[in-house]
Amino acid sequence: MAAILVNGHAPFWPRWRAAVASPLVDPSADRDVPLKTLLRWSEALSGIARTGLGFTESLYEQERFEEILKVAADIRAEADGEDENPDYAGGLVQEWMDTVGKGVPGYITPKVAVGAAVGNDKGELLLIQRADSGIWLYPTGWCDVGYSAAEVVVKEVEEETGIIAEPVRLIAVLDGLRLGFTRVPLYSLLFYCQAVGGELAPHPLETRDVGWFTRETLPQPLVGSERWGEHVFAAINGERRDVLYDSVRQPMWRGESTTS
């Protein structure tokens, strides 16, 4: 191929040849991708595509966004262990297409949930064992329409544990997908609360068990305590800290965050 000159300078083709002439795929170079990474890729692509479908009037762009949804569904099928099921990815695409709205209502955003780090006079933390998965975590719940975030906290704690809690302050805003808490894109608003009444009574459908724990007696499996544990027990012990949040990644669309 003839050399390509730019303004009389040296040819640039050799600089890009490696990128264009990609080597063959070596099966021995296969690697495992973390589940939370697959979920993040799938949900991010799905959100971009559905938002695009909600705003575009171009048939060409609609077709491209639908193709992106199919790629997102393939990634999600891999994450869910359904890559051998020929109907699974197609069902996901249809489910996502059914949620596409028009304009602003079609803009896909994370769901919002609350968490309650409830402490008592003994310096203990209230934890529940979830009925669906068996994991331990502080009480959590989706934000219901018509309630403030703090009101949902009070409602969820009493429903799940029997304890009456008083919200004191917001102590963390966490991205559930990034931390591997959930398969659903969500922001969790974590409140430090004080127990002011009630008795332990696990919800018959939502919780297997409930109890008070010190930092030395935390139950297992416990989700994310390496991220929120120090911050929560600092609040219980009367220490005031800035709100904990996920740091900005560089670049933002990839990589892992570090503690802020």
Side-chain angles (χ1 to χ4, degrees), residues 135-138 174 179-181 220-230 232 244:
I135 63 171
W136 288 85
L137 187 60
Y138 43 74
L174 303 173
L179 297 178
F181 280 10
Q220 296 297 329
L222 179 63
V223 177
S225 59
E226 69 283 352
R227 180 72 169 111
W228 52 259
E230 181 181 351
V232 163
L244 179 70

Side-chain angles (χ1 to χ4, degrees), residues 129-248:
Q129 185 178 32
R130 296 179 60 93
D132 53 1
S133 62
I135 63 171
W136 288 85
L137 187 60
Y138 43 74
T140 61
W142 295 116
C143 285
D144 296 317
V145 174
Y147 294 85
S148 71
E151 289 170 339
V152 176
V153 165
V154 173
K155 183 167 67 74
E156 289 294 332
V157 171
E158 186 172 7
E159 288 177 355
E160 294 183 356
T161 72
I163 297 299
I164 300 174
E166 180 180 302
V168 177
R169 63 182 180 274
L170 183 71
I171 61 173
V173 179
L174 303 173
D175 181 339
L177 262 186
R178 190 184 302 188
L179 297 178
F181 280 10
T182 175
R183 291 173 176 264
V184 179
L186 69 85
Y187 293 155
S188 178
L189 310 178
L190 179 59
F191 286 79
Y192 164 56
C193 307
Q194 292 177 339
V196 295
E199 296 181 357
L200 291 178
H203 190 284
L205 299 178
E206 297 181 10
T207 58
R208 293 186 192 176
D209 200 1
V210 60
W212 294 101
F213 300 90
T214 66
R215 192 164 187 176
E216 291 72 31
T217 61
L218 293 175
Q220 296 297 329
L222 179 63
V223 177
S225 59
E226 69 283 352
R227 180 72 169 111
W228 52 259
E230 181 181 351
H231 207 71
V232 163
F233 278 101
I236 292 175
N237 293 329
E239 183 180 342
R240 295 190 68 95
R241 295 187 177 186
D242 291 337
V243 174
L244 179 70
Y245 59 92
D246 302 302
S247 62
V248 178

Side-chain angles (χ1 to χ4, degrees), residues 16 33 62 68-69 71 74 79 89 97 107-108 111 124 132 137 164 169 172 181 192 197 200 212 234 243 246:
W16 299 101
V33 178
Q62 290 175 16
I68 292 173
L69 274 184
V71 174
D74 280 345
M97 288 292 293
Y107 200 108
I108 303 300
K111 295 175 72 67
E124 297 170 319
D132 53 1
L137 187 60
I164 300 174
R169 63 182 180 274
F181 280 10
Y192 164 56
L200 291 178
W212 294 101
V243 174
D246 302 302

Side-chain angles (χ1 to χ4, degrees), residues 4-12:
I4 303 174
L5 301 180
V6 179
N7 294 331
H9 291 76
F12 67 81

